[in-house]
């Protein structure tokens, strides 16, 4: 399918959703054996980079660029309803996430000096802009490369990763209402640099990855991890092999990171990384309930990752 996939939401070992450019959305109900593709013709010029699926019927998508929309389906993707629109010329939604079935958050690039933060308390049916959205530095934004510059954890803990002239983590402990800032050592200083993705482990380790998307084989300062909530950062013994747009925590201290120059795997909680594939992908995700791992990218390509090979 002629779409560049960046949105991926894996509900369980059977159900997964994908979304991308040219208004395309796809679903599987049998573990990826068959996919049902649908182009939302009214939105055929939009790039749906943000995606969250609740189950096989309900899902939320958002597009990068202006006008920015959030759409919701309750019938498995057959019909979609616009639940939020922003026509500001700077509107650019980067990602969305949910803490539970009702409470969710979407974030976007700065407008009038502040990041766009949208909150929902009714499962994405309505969205309200936050009046406490964090201020942005000049030349700072977020990257909509894989929908994982935003992570919603338990009890309202939330991390937003930024990039550009400044690359940092913005942290909320109360469901996106208030925010604190954490500096990071990842490569930064121009629009193509910074954190493109973050992930959290069960022992509260934070992993950040990214780099320079214009030089996707560059290995300089593109991956770090923190074991103390972002107060200090550690380098890997053997880091990721270039720019990575998505990082995901798997099982048993395993991690996977992917990008346009390939995919890397770690079996020791991010201390050492090895290259496992050289093909270009944008996003990789473990199912919320189960063991399925999907990877997706250009030209509508979706794959399953085999974790039995260690």
């Amino acid at each position: 399918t002629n779409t560049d996939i960046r949105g991926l939401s894996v509900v369980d070992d059977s159900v997964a959703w994908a979304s991308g450019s040219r208004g395309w959305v796809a679903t599987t109900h049998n573990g990826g054996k068959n996919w049902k593709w649908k182009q939302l013709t009214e939105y055929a010029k939009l790039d749906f980079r943000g995606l969250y699926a609740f189950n096989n019927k309900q899902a939320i998508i958002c597009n990068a660029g202006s006008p920015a929309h959030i759409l919701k389906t309750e019938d498995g993707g057959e019909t979609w309803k616009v639940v939020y629109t922003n026509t500001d010329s700077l509107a650019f939604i980067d990602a969305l996430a949910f803490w539970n079935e009702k409470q969710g958050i979407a974030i976007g690039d700065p407008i009038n000096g502040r990041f766009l933060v949208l909150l929902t308390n009714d499962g994405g049916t309505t969205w309200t802009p936050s009046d406490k959205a964090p201020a942005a530095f000049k030349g700072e934004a977020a990257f909509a490369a894989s929908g994982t510059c935003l992570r919603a954890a338990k009890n309202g803990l939330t991390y937003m990763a930024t990039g550009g002239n400044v690359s940092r983590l913005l942290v909320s402990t109360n469901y996106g209402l208030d925010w604190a800032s954490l500096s990071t050592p990842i490569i930064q200083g121009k629009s193509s640099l910074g954190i493109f993705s973050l992930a959290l482990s069960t022992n509260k380790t934070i992993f950040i990855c990214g780099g320079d998307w214009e030089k996707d084989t560059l290995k300089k300062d593109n991956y770090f991890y923190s074991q103390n909530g972002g107060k200090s950062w550690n380098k890997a013994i053997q880091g990721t092999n270039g720019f990575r747009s998505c990082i995901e925590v798997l099982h048993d201290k395993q991690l996977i990171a992917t990008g346009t120059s390939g995919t890397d795997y770690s079996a020791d909680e991010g201390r050492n990384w090895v290259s496992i594939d050289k093909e270009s992908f944008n996003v990789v995700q473990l199912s919320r309930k189960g063991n399925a791992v999907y990877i997706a990218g250009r030209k509508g390509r979706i794959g399953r990752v085999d974790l039995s090979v260690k």
Side-chain angles (χ1 to χ4, degrees):
T1 305
N2 189 19
T3 182
D4 188 14
I5 298 174
R6 295 184 184 274
L8 191 59
S9 188
V10 188
V11 178
D12 53 37
D13 286 348
S14 297
V15 177
W17 296 62
S19 65
S21 59
R22 298 178 177 86
W24 283 98
V25 179
T27 59
T28 180
H29 295 170
N30 59 5
K33 295 178 183 178
N34 304 100
W35 289 83
K36 183 177 182 180
W37 290 87
K38 182 179 179 66
Q39 186 180 35
L40 310 189
T41 54
E42 185 178 352
Y43 305 101
K45 294 183 179 180
L46 299 188
D47 191 350
F48 290 119
R49 297 189 182 188
L51 166 65
Y52 186 89
F54 298 95
N55 47 52
N56 65 339
K57 294 293 185 181
Q58 297 176 306
I60 308 282
I61 54 175
C62 61
N63 71 286
S66 178
H69 302 290
I70 300 178
L71 284 71
K72 183 176 183 179
T73 183
E74 295 184 341
D75 58 7
E78 290 298 320
T79 61
W80 294 83
K81 179 182 179 181
V82 177
V83 292
Y84 173 83
T85 296
N86 191 323
T87 58
D88 192 292
S89 61
L90 297 177
F92 194 107
I93 300 177
D94 297 290
L96 57 87
F98 278 77
W99 297 284
N100 51 55
E101 295 294 299
K102 295 294 184 181
Q103 294 175 285
I105 181 173
I107 59 106
D109 285 348
I111 300 175
N112 297 324
R114 290 190 175 273
F115 283 95
L116 177 66
V117 175
L118 305 170
L119 300 174
T120 181
N121 291 307
D122 56 11
T125 300
T126 60
W127 294 83
T128 303
S130 170
D131 57 5
K132 295 183 179 181
F137 289 99
K138 184 178 180 180
E140 182 186 23
F143 290 112
S146 64
T148 55
C149 64
L150 175 70
R151 296 283 189 174
K154 292 182 179 180
N155 301 317
L157 180 62
T158 315
Y159 290 90
M160 181 199 311
T162 74
N165 288 348
V166 177
S167 190
R168 56 182 173 145
L169 285 185
L170 295 166
V171 186
S172 173
T173 58
N174 58 359
Y175 297 93
L177 296 178
D178 299 289
W179 297 87
S181 176
L182 297 172
S183 61
T184 75
I186 207 157
I187 189 171
Q188 55 196 275
K190 66 175 185 177
S191 61
S192 62
L193 306 178
I195 307 170
F196 283 71
S197 178
L198 71 104
L200 308 170
S201 73
T202 54
N203 67 2
K204 299 182 180 179
T205 302
I206 306 170
F207 306 92
I208 57 174
C209 74
D212 187 347
W213 68 265
E214 292 182 334
K215 300 176 182 178
D216 63 0
T217 59
L218 182 68
K219 299 180 182 180
K220 180 182 178 182
D221 295 338
N222 59 347
Y223 166 80
F224 294 89
Y225 65 94
S226 174
Q227 295 174 293
N228 57 9
K231 295 177 183 178
S232 62
W233 295 92
N234 305 300
K235 272 190 173 183
I237 300 170
Q238 180 64 47
T240 52
N241 292 279
F243 163 76
R244 296 294 176 257
S245 57
C246 187
I247 187 168
E248 181 80 342
V249 175
L250 305 176
H251 298 299
D252 301 323
K253 298 185 178 181
Q254 301 173 84
L255 285 92
I256 190 168
T258 197
T260 52
S261 62
T263 301
D264 299 318
Y265 169 82
S266 172
D268 59 0
E269 204 169 16
R271 275 60 171 177
N272 292 276
W273 292 84
V274 295
S275 173
I276 59 173
D277 193 273
K278 297 295 186 181
E279 293 190 57
S280 172
F281 288 100
N282 297 322
V283 57
V284 60
Q285 191 175 108
L286 170 70
S287 63
R288 296 200 303 271
K289 300 177 182 177
N291 298 305
V293 181
Y294 289 85
I295 192 166
R298 292 184 292 180
K299 298 181 180 179
R301 297 183 67 240
I302 305 173
R304 282 277 296 262
V305 180
D306 185 0
L307 294 179
S308 64
V309 181
K310 297 183 179 179

